[in-house]
Amino acid sequence: MGQAVLKEATAGATVVALPGAKPGVVPLPAPARKPLSQRLLPWFRAVLVNVLPPLVTVALIALFWQIAASGPQSSLPPPTKIWEEAKDLIIEPFYWAGSQDIGLGWRILVSLQRVAIGFSLAAVVGVLLGAVVGQSVWAMRGLDPVFQVLRTVPPLAWLPLSLAAFRDSQPSAIFVIFITAIWPVIINTAVGIRNIPQDYRNVAQVLRLNQVEFFFKIMVPSAAPYIFTGLRIGVGLSWLAIVAAEMLTGGVGIGFFIWDAWNSSRLSDIIVALVYIGVVGFLLDRLVAFVGTIVTRGTLSN
Amino acid sequence: MSYLKIDHVDKRFQRGAATTEVLKDINLVIDKGEYVSVIGHSGCGKSTLLNIIAGLTPVTTGGILLEGKEVNAPGPDRAVVFQNHSLLPWLTVYDNVALAVNKVFGATKSRAERHGWIMHNLELVQMAHAKDKRPGEISGGMKQRVGIARGLAMEPKILLLDEPFGALDALTRAHLQDSIMQIHATLGNTMIMITHDVDEAVLLSDRIVMMTNGPSARIGEVLDVRLERPRKRLELVSDRTYIAAREAVLKFLYERHRFVEAA
């Protein structure tokens, strides 16, 4: 049909054929499979761009450290000495040679278990309390000042009280995690609930959703981005608190290991443990952030 | 007996010591199956009136009677299609409608019946093909269609439409107006629509309620639109009844009740 129109339009005019201009469809070259080296190149470049800078930084720090700590009067061990002294801890995280002579991986797992219990409790209680504070003006007026004061109390300041209350180190350590992680969860959840658009509340009212349905079907999904911000801050604080709490309560955790190593002057072990703690804390943060992006995928796009 | 009766409704908002009277002495009787539009300049309280009928805003004095019974709380018998669609962005199109259907018919319909009813309503607004999409992935007109499907799926006694096509472009709006006319013809629902579009009001309504300017807005006039249904947009353009009705509304809005604050 298009061609017919074209013919009519050009009927009166002299058509000058352009040399080499062939009508019809120009076939696209078939998408040839690029050779493996070419396909891998962008990927390789991306890895390089992201991995190389931190590697260079770490190498430079290690070099500087090596030079600074190599002197005879140096009080801290250089990287080479750490490798010599704590090689077993670095390359074998999961060895087991008696109740106090175990790999750092096991110790991390014990600490993580405490964090998991304390943080889960804090997440559940924090979201519920945050929902109450966010939903009710009077609950906010009554509770918010209390929360604002309590949240500034350093985690370890709670430890003596919780030891007195629980008379056991394990629940005390868990309580310290709980009380550390709960504040950001409460406060962020409350903000999220207060920011639920009136439209969603209207929908809930027209449908006559009851309190429980409203909580699960409107509140939690709508406030999820805020809740996850609180959880992410909370998990970071928990990890900070567990190391300190374990130093005082003893047991098997990574915190106690550091204290124990200090008492027996194993400085290399301490440094290895610090790296473990840092890496695990980083992974925890990423884990919560990852869960958050999956859960809130739908909430933000409107 | 009247189907819906708006009986001497006054609405005042109290903010500190200052009281603003938004609506004054609103009386209106609506029959079953009627399509009534409420038109007026912005700020005249027409949305407040709709919210009062929906039960989302309490009246100061007076009352709303639905089939002879007073209603003063929101409920699925007066479903609302909100101006900004108000779909829940974390649910798919299907789940948005399902939330309403499961709540309203959870006790009376089986799971399969409810599924069928959800799909039926999505088909009614031609959205069955996008049932697994999230609101963020569909166009504004499509979202509004889903909002209408959600409203219809509650099988309300009255469907309340709060400027349902206000945020849409002209072509999409015309399309949705045709859909609404078709749905009204098929189901015979009672519908109340808030609008500020004169053509839309005349095209869709059996009666047009014209509001005076606020504060203390009243019902100025009620116009019967005696046009045969089904109505065809193009044929109406030169129809004398249509032109007369359009003129009457325009004269009301721009001669007798000019919006003085309009820039």
Side-chain angles (χ1 to χ4, degrees):
Chain A
M1 195 190 127
Q3 277 198 336
V5 174
L6 194 72
K7 261 184 201 160
E8 256 174 57
T10 53
T14 327
V15 180
V16 182
L18 290 168
K22 269 187 279 176
V25 183
V26 180
L28 286 170
R33 251 178 106 77
K34 284 183 192 163
L36 187 71
S37 61
Q38 261 187 48
R39 273 183 293 141
L40 275 179
L41 205 66
W43 178 82
F44 187 67
R45 191 197 294 272
V47 170
L48 213 64
V49 164
N50 286 307
V51 170
L52 205 59
L55 278 183
V56 170
T57 316
V58 170
L60 281 176
I61 291 173
L63 185 71
F64 178 74
W65 179 4
Q66 182 73 36
I67 294 166
S70 286
Q73 290 99 30
S74 156
S75 50
L76 293 175
T80 46
K81 198 171 164 208
I82 294 171
W83 177 253
E84 279 164 32
E85 287 182 1
K87 198 172 159 195
D88 54 339
L89 289 176
I90 298 167
I91 57 177
E92 234 184 314
F94 289 103
Y95 74 87
W96 188 289
S99 66
Q100 268 305 331
D101 188 13
I102 57 177
L104 283 180
W106 293 115
R107 293 180 184 277
I108 290 273
L109 282 182
V110 171
S111 300
L112 275 178
Q113 192 195 358
R114 291 189 181 128
V115 167
I117 298 170
F119 177 68
S120 305
L121 283 173
V124 173
V125 178
V127 169
L128 288 174
L129 269 178
V132 172
V133 173
Q135 188 70 353
S136 147
V137 177
W138 282 107
M140 190 190 78
R141 286 182 192 160
L143 290 170
D144 196 54
V146 180
F147 292 164
Q148 296 297 345
V149 170
L150 288 184
R151 78 185 178 93
T152 63
V153 175
L156 278 191
W158 292 100
L159 192 61
L161 265 188
S162 62
L163 278 171
F166 294 108
R167 295 166 191 283
D168 188 15
S169 62
Q170 177 76 355
S172 303
I174 290 170
F175 175 77
V176 169
I177 299 305
F178 169 82
I179 206 76
T180 309
I182 197 168
W183 309 117
V185 180
I186 292 178
I187 291 165
N188 280 282
T189 305
V191 172
I193 302 273
R194 242 173 276 153
N195 281 329
I196 295 176
Q198 187 59 40
D199 299 332
Y200 302 167
R201 294 181 185 276
N202 286 346
V203 170
Q205 277 190 288
V206 169
L207 288 175
R208 290 208 184 123
L209 298 183
N210 60 37
Q211 290 289 320
V212 178
E213 287 168 326
F214 183 65
F215 180 78
F216 284 109
K217 294 191 170 159
I218 309 280
M219 263 191 192
V220 172
S222 179
Y226 292 89
I227 295 175
F228 271 95
T229 306
L231 290 177
R232 207 171 152 186
I233 300 170
V235 84
L237 290 179
S238 313
W239 193 238
L240 293 182
I242 188 66
V243 175
E246 282 174 349
M247 283 187 177
L248 298 179
T249 58
V252 191
I254 188 84
F256 178 70
F257 173 82
I258 292 180
W259 195 244
D260 192 38
W262 163 243
N263 284 333
S264 40
S265 308
R266 286 180 279 123
L267 288 182
S268 301
D269 290 8
I270 295 180
I271 290 164
V272 174
L274 289 189
V275 174
Y276 266 85
I277 291 171
V279 170
V280 172
F282 172 76
L283 292 178
L284 274 182
D285 180 66
R286 282 303 151 104
L287 178 72
V288 176
F290 176 70
V291 173
T293 46
I294 288 181
V295 172
T296 61
R297 204 172 20 186
T299 316
L300 296 171
S301 62
N302 193 16
Chain B
M1 193 178 67
S2 57
Y3 194 59
L4 179 86
K5 188 170 183 187
I6 303 169
D7 197 7
H8 294 93
V9 164
D10 287 4
K11 178 66 196 175
R12 288 183 288 274
F13 284 109
Q14 193 100 31
R15 182 163 291 168
T19 311
T20 349
E21 185 164 55
V22 181
L23 297 171
K24 188 170 173 60
D25 202 27
I26 305 287
N27 285 293
L28 189 66
V29 173
I30 291 168
D31 288 326
K32 191 168 185 178
E34 243 191 319
Y35 197 115
V36 175
S37 291
V38 179
I39 197 165
H41 291 291
S42 52
C44 76
K46 49 191 195 300
S47 279
T48 309
L49 180 62
L50 188 102
N51 282 340
I52 286 174
I53 301 171
L56 293 167
T57 307
V59 293
T60 309
T61 57
I64 307 288
L65 294 151
L66 181 61
E67 291 185 314
K69 284 195 210 82
E70 189 182 2
V71 284
N72 48 21
D77 54 346
R78 283 152 291 133
V80 187
V81 176
F82 297 96
Q83 178 175 11
N84 54 354
H85 65 77
S86 294
L87 298 178
L88 304 177
W90 54 87
L91 296 179
T92 61
V93 163
Y94 180 91
D95 288 335
N96 263 289
V97 181
L99 179 71
V101 170
N102 292 337
K103 180 63 190 169
V104 178
F105 300 109
T108 50
K109 286 187 181 185
S110 73
R111 184 177 286 269
E113 279 173 330
R114 276 180 273 147
H115 171 74
W117 180 239
I118 295 164
M119 291 313 294
H120 170 79
N121 279 285
L122 284 175
E123 274 155 24
L124 210 57
V125 296
Q126 292 135 44
M127 283 302 295
H129 62 92
K131 70 183 180 68
D132 295 322
K133 292 226 164 83
R134 284 171 198 272
E137 298 162 349
I138 57 179
S139 71
M142 290 166 125
K143 284 181 207 165
Q144 204 51 272
R145 281 174 191 276
V146 179
I148 293 167
R150 180 174 64 183
L152 290 171
M154 295 179 215
E155 228 168 35
K157 290 180 176 151
I158 295 186
L159 187 65
L160 303 169
L161 304 133
D162 187 3
E163 294 189 28
F165 316 126
L168 305 176
D169 65 277
L171 290 174
T172 314
R173 195 185 308 166
H175 222 71
L176 274 177
Q177 286 164 352
D178 291 344
S179 293
I180 278 282
M181 273 199 283
Q182 209 163 36
I183 288 165
H184 185 235
T186 328
L187 305 177
N189 317 56
T190 314
M191 300 197 190
I192 302 178
M193 177 178 74
I194 303 293
T195 183
H196 50 223
D197 182 333
V198 177
D199 290 294
E200 181 172 282
V202 178
L203 178 69
L204 295 173
S205 319
D206 298 313
R207 279 194 295 158
I208 301 175
V209 174
M210 291 173 257
M211 307 267 297
T212 65
N213 286 329
S216 303
R218 293 168 293 107
I219 293 179
E221 274 173 47
V222 179
L223 178 80
D224 274 311
V225 185
R226 296 176 204 278
L227 284 167
E228 288 298 310
R229 289 182 190 270
R231 297 172 182 173
K232 295 262 160 47
R233 185 182 301 279
L234 286 175
E235 292 166 15
L236 286 176
V237 174
S238 49
D239 187 290
R240 285 172 64 186
T241 325
Y242 179 85
I243 293 169
R246 201 170 170 275
E247 198 183 338
V249 179
L250 284 171
K251 277 194 169 156
F252 177 90
L253 288 177
Y254 297 106
E255 261 181 32
R256 272 162 287 160
H257 295 279
R258 267 188 81 88
F259 189 41
V260 275
E261 286 150 54

